[in-house]
Amino acid sequence: PYRVFTARSEYRLSSRANNADLRLTRRAAALGLVRDSARLARLDTVEADMAHAQAMLEQVVHLPHIWEAQMGGSRRVVRDGVRKSALDMIRKGFLSEDLWAGARDPENVPPEHIPKARKLAGGPEISAIVPAWADVPLDIRQRVVTEAMYHGHLRQLSAEANTFKREESMRLPADIDYSKVRVLSHEEVDKLSIVRPDTFGAAKRIDGITPGGILALLKYVRQNRAAQSA
């Protein structure tokens, strides 16, 4: 049900079920929907534990060639001379965490594929590089690693959202042919062609128009205007 609920949500990578408590509990409390002090205290504990675990990973910093040695030479790291933390290495997929630890093996996965299915990212286990990581509660480890793996995608989505906010009032060409915007679905082409919105903001508010469609439309209009002015 949660997946269906968020299927057409804008930037839904940030609206995941596994971070709903962090995103919504305090808002619900401010509206009087959550009055359980124990629940709020648990949230405080989770946030503090996650911050502590992230700080632990950020404190382990090495140059690329040191990271390669730490991983036994199994993975190549771009030697750009920039120091990287263990958290950075998780975000780039160089260190792994067993997200199924303490749970039964995933269903519908052939036995020979279970080791791969159990791992998040590749490379050695985080605790092999950061021994103190093993002392962090399992649920906190899993949440910190999950957030790290989404970090790059969320940063990109945030940039896209900021771009759209800046361009929301930009006017759309009156004669635009939406069928030429290849990323748009047939449904989006039909609705835009019927409504003929004046601005990107108006287009965004049409039912069935996705954030991805709006960004593709923005790119298409920009490219056409650049070509005309060249």
Side-chain angles (χ1 to χ4, degrees):
Y2 193 90
R3 173 64 180 81
V4 174
F5 182 70
T6 62
R8 299 305 288 267
S9 170
E10 292 182 280
Y11 316 116
R12 61 185 172 86
L13 281 181
S14 61
S15 303
R16 307 188 311 275
N18 61 9
N19 68 357
D21 57 339
L22 299 176
R23 291 183 294 105
L24 302 176
T25 303
R26 295 197 192 285
R27 293 187 180 187
L31 294 171
L33 301 176
V34 173
R35 299 185 178 90
D36 185 353
S37 59
R39 179 176 175 181
L40 293 172
R42 285 195 299 272
L43 178 62
D44 288 338
T45 300
V46 168
E47 289 178 332
D49 287 348
M50 288 182 67
H52 173 72
Q54 288 172 337
M56 177 191 301
L57 296 171
E58 289 173 336
Q59 290 170 2
V60 179
V61 180
H62 299 300
L63 288 167
H65 71 280
I66 300 298
W67 277 116
E68 283 189 8
Q70 290 271 7
M71 294 185 292
S74 60
R75 302 283 299 275
R76 296 288 297 174
V77 182
V78 176
R79 298 198 177 193
D80 53 9
V82 177
R83 294 179 179 273
K84 296 175 176 62
S85 70
L87 188 60
D88 293 327
M89 298 300 285
I90 295 169
R91 289 169 177 167
K92 295 178 182 295
F94 285 104
L95 300 179
S96 65
E97 177 70 15
D98 187 350
L99 292 189
W100 293 93
R104 64 181 183 177
D105 286 332
E107 297 179 358
N108 303 319
V109 177
E112 65 273 18
H113 293 165
I114 285 178
K116 182 183 294 184
R118 292 175 65 96
K119 297 281 188 179
L120 181 64
E125 291 277 351
I126 299 168
S127 56
I129 307 296
V130 187
W133 183 252
D135 298 327
V136 176
L138 174 61
D139 62 318
I140 299 299
R141 296 203 311 265
Q142 293 172 336
R143 296 189 71 151
V144 169
V145 172
T146 300
E147 291 296 325
M149 295 300 293
Y150 276 107
H151 178 264
H153 301 292
L154 293 175
R155 186 170 56 182
Q156 179 180 346
L157 289 179
S158 178
E160 291 175 354
N162 290 333
T163 296
F164 180 77
K165 286 178 181 178
R166 291 194 302 269
E167 308 294 350
E168 189 170 12
S169 60
M170 181 188 291
R171 299 192 68 81
L172 286 163
D175 60 348
I176 185 171
D177 183 353
Y178 292 104
S179 65
K180 292 184 178 180
V181 186
R182 289 183 293 178
V183 177
L184 295 177
S185 67
H186 292 300
E187 177 189 2
E188 290 173 316
V189 170
D190 289 343
K191 290 190 174 183
L192 289 166
S193 299
I194 293 171
V195 177
R196 308 300 300 183
D198 295 329
T199 64
F200 282 96
K204 178 185 177 183
R205 286 181 276 276
I206 297 174
D207 179 48
I209 306 301
T210 65
I214 289 294
L215 289 170
L217 182 58
L218 176 60
K219 182 178 181 180
Y220 175 81
V221 171
R222 280 178 170 173
Q223 290 176 339
N224 276 8
R225 288 180 177 172
Q228 291 172 3
S229 61

